[in-house]
Amino acid sequence: MYRLAAALTAVSTLALAGCAQNFDQGPDGKVTDKIKDGKKFYLVVDPTTAGEEKKFRVSKYDYHDCNRGSKYPKCVDD
């Protein structure tokens, strides 16, 4: 019984890991816009260092956790 439970846990963990989205992190800065294009999610960030706004793809979780005006990448903590 315990072996079955352990095996099911391991299989579900691997399945979830395979679904994880890993996108390159954008620059640190202030979120100025959020864009949803079908099933793709993007943030536009105004960097804290000199530079132009940058649009980059993020996971749906980062998209929902980051609001306009929040500090990327620690949006949830704002």
Side-chain angles (χ1 to χ4, degrees):
M1 182 72 169
Y2 292 111
R3 286 185 184 182
L4 177 61
L8 289 175
T9 301
V11 169
S12 65
T13 301
L14 289 174
L16 289 174
C19 295
Q21 297 174 333
N22 293 321
F23 300 107
D24 291 336
Q25 182 175 332
D28 292 355
K30 181 176 158 182
V31 177
T32 58
D33 200 7
K34 296 169 62 167
I35 302 164
K36 183 178 176 188
D37 182 12
K39 291 186 178 184
K40 296 178 183 176
F41 301 92
Y42 298 90
L43 292 177
V44 178
V45 169
D46 185 11
T48 52
T49 58
E52 296 182 12
E53 288 184 333
K54 179 169 174 144
K55 174 184 168 185
F56 54 96
R57 191 167 175 196
V58 294
S59 71
K60 67 179 177 181
Y61 304 107
D62 285 343
Y63 178 85
H64 291 295
D65 288 344
C66 293
N67 297 312
R68 288 174 188 85
S70 62
K71 295 176 186 174
Y72 182 83
K74 297 184 179 185
C75 301
V76 177
D77 297 333
D78 289 346

